[in-house]
Amino acid sequence: MKQDVRILLLGEAQVGKTSLIMALVGEEFPDEVPARAEEITIPADVTPERVPTHIVDYSEVEQTEEELRDEIAKANVACIVYDVTELSTIEKIASKWIPLVNGHAERNSRLPIILVGNKSDLQCGSSMESILPIMNQFSEIETCVECSAKNLKNISEVFYYAQKAVLHPTAPLYDPEEKQLRPHCRKALTRIFTISDQDNNQILSDDELNYFQQSCFGNPLAPQALEDVKMVVRKNTADGVRENGLTLSGFLFLNTLFIQRGRHETTWTILRRFGYDDALELTDDYLYPPLRVPYDSSTELNHFGYQFLQKIFEKHDLDGDGALSPSELQSFFSVFPYTPWGPELQSTVCVSEKSLLPLHGFLCQWTLVAYLDVHRCLEHLGYLGYPILCDQDSQTRAITVTREKRIDLEKGQTQRTVFLCKVIGPRGTGKSAFLRAFLGQSLEEQLQSRREPSFYSINTVLIGGQEKYLILYEVDVDTDFLKQSDAGCDVACLMYDVSDPKSFNYCASIYKQHYMENQTPCLFVGCKWDLGEVKQQHGISPAEFCHKHRLPTPYHFTCQGAADMAIYSKLATAAAFPNSTGGSISSFSKGGTCPIIRYEGITTKRRSSGEP
């Protein structure tokens, strides 16, 4: 909504423009009227809409045509004043003043116009018979008010309607020529209906209508008022009410009726509550509320966020099978202006045998977005109506900003629940297979799959009996680390091929260049163990290298058969208990797919140079 309103008064000489302004300000008819009033500013606290209002007078005698064009360009609304007793001043509205105001403007960017019939005290009848044809001819005319500066009749109403034309404009909402909602308005109201339909049955029940009413207007509807609303809809639409609830057709009809009856502020109140601006676009303030994330902190969904997302999942899981089918996922996406997740989703999270998205995979994907791009996560929660449905100021209430990593390092443990592991190794090592195995996909399934590849996979692991999220990110071998921050993560997985004698050199080089002098936990993983280990061309063996650098012994891994899931918990545990040396795993249980691991840190001084 605009922060202030600028009203320009136009019209023929002697119609009473200046008298109207002075009567409004002085609350009495002036004894002496100057040729032109100075610009008046009315403070916000004395205006009905609580916004500062500037009133500008125009005098054809005192001002040039160029000055008039400048004032029109600055104005938010034009009040064209005519004398109800002088037919010639009415005729000039269509022939002179409206062309001056909007003659060169495009249809959807015309300045709103209020027609003001002054000197009604001098005429017994009404000028509306002459005015109505003009109003029908020009769609930008919002309304016509007959008033009298002499006896102060309808003076405040003139400026109220002028304010209303700016703050609650009709043009973006309604096409008076077609007598229907404009496409952008219809689209916005459809999204609002979909969000408010909390059980996704295409009907707003009494409870849903009352929650909507309370959220937008601050109070619920009385039972009789609800029935009256539905009765009006039943009388005017064939399918506006179904199963005693309001359908989308009925919801759109009600808003059309509000606008046709001059109550477009009602529709604007709804639109603005759901985040829309005057152009019917979602505002940046709504989609991207400010969130301060200190350097080296991370972002996670909290219990508010997960509760909301689980409810949204259940809303769209229409068949109740615990997974979203492609059509159910499309229903979930319907309130977005674009499809937020691509086909790589099925290679990023766990999906069912039928490639459906279960709740676990759904929450994993949201966790990934919240960690990697919190502003995109806030945007997505905004599209889903989080602030409205959760009755909170913004989506930031669904996000936790973790403490800085330096504090975690000082304490030797972290409060984080989401960890990023960068999987680094030469081409052909098996990094992609390692990521897919984390999702429970065997090597055979991977080879047969036609799923879109992804550089990420995310799943949950248990650490000390608590569920944590682990994100694996496959670093592109062709992408050099341009700066030290590119190597940043919670734990690094340096992967080499035990059957390739040249493979370990790459990992050793990356470690010494980017991780040897920082505090990121590192684990070396020897992949393709089923092919047999060969001697690496590096000066010393991988085990000796790890021993010299106070690192855990290389972990041997294969995707053949059932993958050993202990490595993923081992990586997550190293991230959960960081220290300056990377630490070691002293013992772990292999019972089940998510073992509980006991971690012991090692505090020793690393040699800084001269090592292979």
Side-chain angles (χ1 to χ4, degrees), residues 185-446:
C185 179
R186 186 182 184 90
K187 182 179 178 182
L189 290 172
T190 298
R191 171 181 167 267
I192 290 169
F193 178 91
T194 303
I195 290 171
S196 303
D197 176 19
Q198 297 187 43
D199 58 7
N200 204 23
N201 68 346
Q202 316 305 313
I203 298 169
L204 294 186
S205 66
D206 286 358
D207 286 344
E208 289 169 339
L209 272 171
N210 263 327
Y211 187 90
F212 169 83
Q213 174 77 13
Q214 177 77 41
S215 179
C216 292
F217 302 102
N219 57 283
L221 287 170
Q224 187 56 51
L226 268 175
E227 290 307 313
D228 291 346
V229 166
K230 287 185 278 190
M231 187 182 300
V232 170
V233 175
R234 282 192 189 98
K235 286 182 178 179
N236 291 276
T237 62
D239 61 344
V241 176
R242 194 169 73 241
E243 299 175 20
N244 202 37
L246 202 63
T247 65
L248 174 60
S249 175
F251 183 71
L252 295 175
F253 165 76
L254 272 180
N255 281 279
T256 304
L257 191 63
F258 291 146
I259 296 164
Q260 289 173 338
R261 292 184 176 178
R263 290 175 53 196
H264 31 286
E265 67 272 17
T266 301
T267 297
W268 274 117
T269 300
I270 295 168
L271 290 164
R272 286 173 178 140
R273 176 68 181 103
F274 280 79
Y276 289 94
D277 61 15
D278 288 357
L280 296 182
E281 299 288 345
L282 290 170
T283 66
D284 285 350
D285 287 343
Y286 173 79
L287 288 178
Y288 311 106
L291 180 69
R292 181 177 174 271
V293 183
Y295 171 74
D296 228 13
S297 292
S298 63
T299 47
E300 304 175 355
L301 287 163
N302 56 33
H303 67 283
F304 292 122
Y306 284 120
Q307 285 174 357
F308 172 75
L309 292 168
Q310 182 163 346
K311 189 174 180 181
I312 291 292
F313 179 92
E314 291 166 354
K315 167 181 175 175
H316 293 283
D317 181 19
L318 293 176
D319 56 10
D321 65 350
L324 297 183
S325 66
S327 61
E328 289 170 339
L329 200 54
Q330 199 57 44
S331 169
F332 163 70
F333 291 151
S334 66
V335 294
F336 289 73
Y338 55 85
T339 302
W341 304 337
E344 71 280 357
L345 174 67
Q346 296 199 348
S347 297
T348 305
V349 301
C350 293
V351 295
S352 71
E353 291 181 3
K354 297 180 179 178
S355 295
L356 306 184
L357 181 65
L359 176 61
H360 176 78
F362 181 80
L363 295 179
C364 279
Q365 174 65 15
W366 277 97
T367 302
L368 179 68
V369 176
Y371 184 94
L372 297 179
D373 189 348
V374 69
H375 296 292
R376 180 58 59 90
C377 183
L378 293 173
E379 176 192 343
H380 290 176
L381 288 170
Y383 291 137
L384 292 169
Y386 177 88
I388 296 96
L389 295 178
C390 294
D391 194 23
Q392 293 180 351
D393 293 337
S394 76
Q395 304 89 285
T396 58
R397 291 293 300 277
I399 301 294
T400 291
V401 178
T402 67
R403 70 187 183 189
E404 294 172 76
K405 188 176 286 187
R406 63 176 179 81
I407 301 175
D408 291 343
L409 291 167
E410 290 169 6
K411 294 181 177 293
Q413 62 180 14
T414 181
Q415 299 171 334
R416 300 184 184 196
T417 62
V418 185
F419 304 111
L420 174 64
C421 171
K422 289 191 172 177
V423 182
I424 305 163
R427 188 181 301 282
T429 302
K431 299 189 297 294
S432 297
F434 184 73
L435 266 66
R436 301 293 87 75
F438 187 36
L439 306 179
Q441 299 175 22
S442 68
L443 187 59
E444 184 180 359
E445 289 173 331
Q446 294 178 42

